Amino acid sequence: MPTLQPPRHTRPRRPDASDLGLTLDRKTTTEFPAVLPRRVLSETPSTARVPLKVTVPVPPPAPPPKIKEEVAAPLQAAGAPRPQMASLDFEDAFEAETNPAMHSIPIAESTPSTRHDRAILTVLTGVNAGQVFSLGSGENVIGRSREANIRIDDVGISRKHTRVSRMQDGRFIVEDMGSTNGTFVAARRVDRLELRPGDRVQVGPNVLFRFSLIDATEEQLARSLYEASTRDALTRVFNRKYFHERIHSEVAYAIRHKTHVAVVMFDLDHFKAVNDTYGHLAGDLVLRTVAAAVQRTIRLEDVLARYGGEEFAIIVRGIEHDKVAVFAERVRRAVEFLDISYESTRIKATVSVGAASITQMGDAPTPEALLGLADERLYRAKDSGRNRVSA
């Protein structure tokens, strides 16, 4: 009968690199802690760390993608086609898609240098803020006179106040012309001074200009912005906002200097019937034609504005009331004689007119009272049969 031997207590074997799926290299080794699984060492914690010396394979650097010569070339001229991705493998295509240097980027053609040779004065204050005046060659006179190149209606400006001259070498010189209230540049009174772009020129106590040298595009933009803010888009006469600002200025001027100012309001008769019969395009044509005819009839210093819908208003300066009635009748006749052609149709237009002067307002005239009286007389003309003047 065999003799039973007591069980031998063997010491656990230390794991080697083969247990972890690694290979040892006696020449080049790297030591790092390894985490051993529970099944290898039952007596040690599952998270025991044993230092091992193993070789970490380092992959060789990947070769650069093989790109076609025309793709890797520097940026092409404008309009060159993009590289064809079909000729590259996936990795090369990804590199070509994400690397900006591998694209042929169109470059806009350079434009000739812009010439800032347009000299302008822009009004910065008052009712005409934003208005642009071009400075031509030679002398440019600023003042209230009809002969002034830049005419400004302001009580503080002399008839011939300031002169801005363009010299042969391209410089601009501002000179005071013996004005009462003086000419100022950068808040300093001057008799003669060379202007620099950005200088602010004050003429009298109320009017301030900015001197600029710009190109033709910028000048056109400045004029367009001013026109859009002060003109009616359809008829191109002044809009209601500008009219209200101007009437307040004119009434204040007339009160201070005891001069005459009047308002003439007119409304197209039976305008709704024109829209209903011929359409709104015909109605727009009638409005434009009537506005243009009245603009040709009035004086340069008078202000014509579209007050709303088919209603217009005119500021008349320096005329006594009996002559204002004659002025209003001239406006009515100018519209009555119009012959407006729309497609194959002839359209006739008439207006009813109301007029009021500041001399009829009593001791305390106001712009609102003047407008109210003119509007009241306009409706009186309509009630009396239309196509007539009530003054």
Side-chain angles (χ1 to χ4, degrees), residues 108-258:
E109 296 182 359
S110 60
T111 57
S113 59
T114 304
R115 297 180 56 189
H116 291 74
D117 56 355
R118 303 293 184 95
I120 65 169
L121 289 175
T122 305
V123 182
L124 300 181
T125 58
V127 178
N128 296 315
Q131 188 172 4
V132 176
F133 295 98
S134 297
L135 298 176
S137 58
E139 296 183 351
N140 302 270
V141 177
I142 304 172
R144 290 189 295 109
S145 172
R146 290 176 178 268
E147 290 77 23
N149 305 76
I150 302 175
R151 187 181 180 192
I152 303 294
D153 289 324
D154 185 89
V155 62
I157 295 180
S158 302
R159 294 179 60 80
K160 292 185 178 180
H161 195 109
T162 304
R163 176 172 52 232
V164 180
S165 304
R166 182 168 190 166
M167 314 305 289
Q168 292 184 352
D169 57 3
R171 296 180 302 136
F172 286 85
I173 306 296
V174 60
E175 299 176 88
D176 187 80
M177 301 179 69
S179 65
T180 302
N181 294 316
T183 301
F184 302 80
V185 177
R188 182 169 60 91
R189 187 162 186 166
V190 298
D191 293 325
R192 189 176 190 274
L193 184 71
E194 179 182 354
L195 290 177
R196 303 290 185 183
D199 280 347
R200 295 193 173 193
V201 181
Q202 182 177 334
V203 180
N206 304 319
V207 180
L208 184 65
F209 295 96
R210 183 182 64 235
F211 172 73
S212 305
L213 286 176
I214 58 178
D215 60 34
T217 302
E218 292 171 327
E219 181 183 10
Q220 182 59 40
L221 175 61
R223 293 185 182 278
S224 299
L225 292 175
Y226 176 74
E227 291 290 319
S229 66
T230 60
R231 297 281 180 174
D232 175 63
L234 177 63
T235 61
R236 306 311 302 164
V237 299
F238 288 109
N239 56 28
R240 182 168 179 167
K241 175 179 176 294
Y242 179 85
F243 179 86
H244 273 287
E245 293 176 350
R246 188 66 181 269
I247 190 61
H248 280 76
S249 174
E250 295 294 343
V251 169
Y253 180 89
I255 293 173
R256 284 196 305 268
H257 297 275
K258 302 186 184 307

Side-chain angles (χ1 to χ4, degrees), residues 28-29 32 62 77 98 105 110 127 133 142 151 164 195 214 248 260 319 321 334 336 350 358-359 365 373 389-390:
T28 303
T29 60
F32 67 95
T98 56
I105 303 175
S110 60
V127 178
F133 295 98
I142 304 172
R151 187 181 180 192
V164 180
L195 290 177
I214 58 178
H248 280 76
H260 297 282
I319 301 180
H321 184 68
E336 184 181 29
T350 61
I358 194 174
T359 54
L373 182 58
V389 173
S390 174

Side-chain angles (χ1 to χ4, degrees), residues 12-13 15-16 18-21 35-47:
R13 183 176 63 88
D16 55 18
S18 61
D19 295 323
L20 301 178
V35 179
L36 302 179
R38 182 182 298 273
R39 63 181 178 83
V40 177
L41 291 177
S42 58
E43 291 84 357
T44 61
S46 60
T47 58

Side-chain angles (χ1 to χ4, degrees), residues 347-358:
I347 302 176
K348 299 297 291 184
T350 61
V351 293
S352 299
V353 188
S357 298
I358 194 174

Side-chain angles (χ1 to χ4, degrees), residues 354-389:
S357 298
I358 194 174
T359 54
Q360 300 175 313
M361 297 291 96
D363 296 333
T366 63
E368 293 77 14
L370 184 61
L371 287 170
L373 182 58
D375 192 56
E376 177 185 333
R377 291 176 176 174
L378 166 62
Y379 280 94
R380 184 189 304 170
K382 283 184 170 294
D383 294 339
S384 301
R386 303 178 188 271
N387 191 23
R388 62 191 62 210
V389 173

